[in-house]
């Protein structure tokens, strides 16, 4: 049975699992440990090692995909919103490969989640433009046009009141400011209405930390575009990273 390992590095947690590539599901439990304070490269690498060890896959020759919360271009991380600024313009893929002593596939976290949902989830067989958004510490986005990923779209960094809109509308903003679901949904409405106007998508898929509670906010949004929650919820990043590693 074809398997690969997926690691999803987020601003708050580092998650990993062994993925069944045929079904796009987890063959192992989902391991999660908190992202180290400050999320500096050496500390993140140590935590990834720990997570792989807990999963029992250190030294495994299964393909390994690592999803990361930054712009990723030719293996370099070009941005750092909820992680240490040390990642800006950093040879991250090589850093992880050297540190883990093995080859990896390295990709933006929302792009990985989008690939999982297009191959095995809510956007399977979707035509036209699917926009995957992840609502967690930040807001991640992935554009999938007829199933093909257009990477590094970064919708969470559209401006709102002079700062990235994710500061105001991500799930972390709701937690930080103790907003009610209704109050937070008003912010999401503004975010999704703007994205809908700019890109006229055919489908929105919502993943990330909040996807455990889709019924609390999806019905409150008024959009022309269908909006559904990610089938793989918060495991989409793991599944997509693993799936891309096996390509
Ligand atoms: C980052 C994105 C990432 C998103 C979700 C944003 O702050 O800029 O690259 O996909 O957070 O983790």
């Amino acid at each position: 049975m074809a398997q690969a390992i997926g690691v999803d590095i987020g601003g708050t947690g580092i998650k990993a699992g062994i993925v069944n590539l045929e079904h796009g599901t987890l063959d192992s439990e989902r391991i999660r440990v908190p992202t180290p304070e400050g999320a500096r490269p050496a500390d993140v690498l140590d935590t990834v090692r720990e997570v792989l060890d807990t999963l029992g896959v250190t030294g495994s020759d299964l393909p390994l995909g690592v999803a990361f919360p930054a712009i990723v271009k030719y293996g370099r991380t070009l941005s750092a919103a909820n992680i240490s600024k040390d990642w800006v313009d950093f040879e991250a893929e090589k850093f992880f490969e050297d540190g883990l002593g093995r080859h990896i596939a390295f990709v933006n976290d929302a792009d990985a989640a989008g690939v999982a949902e297009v191959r095995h989830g809510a956007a399977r067989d979707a035509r036209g433009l699917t926009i995957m958004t992840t609502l967690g510490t930040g807001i991640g986005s992935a554009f999938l046009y007829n199933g093909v990923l257009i990477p590094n779209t970064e919708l969470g960094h559209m401006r709102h009141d002079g700062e990235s809109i994710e500061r105001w509308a991500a799930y972390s903003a709701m937690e930080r400011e103790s907003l009610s679901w209704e109050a937070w949904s008003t912010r999401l409405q503004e975010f999704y209405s703007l994205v809908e106007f700019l890109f006229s998508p055919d489908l929105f898929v919502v993943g990330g930390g909040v996807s455990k509670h889709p019924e609390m906010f999806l019905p409150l949004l008024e959009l022309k575009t269908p909006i559904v929650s990610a089938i793989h919820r918060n495991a989409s990043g793991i599944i997509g990273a693993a799936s891309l590693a096996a390509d």
Side-chain angles (χ1 to χ4, degrees), residues 9 23 33 48 64 70 90 122 150 227 236:
I9 300 173
H23 299 116
V33 298
V48 170
L64 170 62
F90 183 70
I150 302 159
I227 182 162
S236 303

Side-chain angles (χ1 to χ4, degrees), residues 8-11 68-72 79-82 108-111 134-141 152 154 156-157 166:
D8 184 8
I9 300 173
F68 196 83
I71 299 170
V72 176
S79 63
N82 298 299
N108 171 267
D109 57 352
D111 286 342
T134 62
L135 305 175
T137 315
I139 296 182
S141 57
N152 292 314
E154 296 292 338
H157 296 283
E166 68 176 16

Side-chain angles (χ1 to χ4, degrees), residues 7 9-10 13-14 33-51 68 83-84 86-87 90 95-96 99-100:
V7 176
I9 300 173
I14 298 185
V33 298
T35 303
E37 185 72 33
R40 279 175 296 272
D43 299 335
V44 171
L45 173 62
D46 279 346
T47 311
V48 170
R49 281 203 193 99
E50 179 191 323
V51 156
F68 196 83
I83 48 178
S84 155
D86 292 353
W87 295 97
F90 183 70
F95 172 77
F96 282 110
L100 299 172

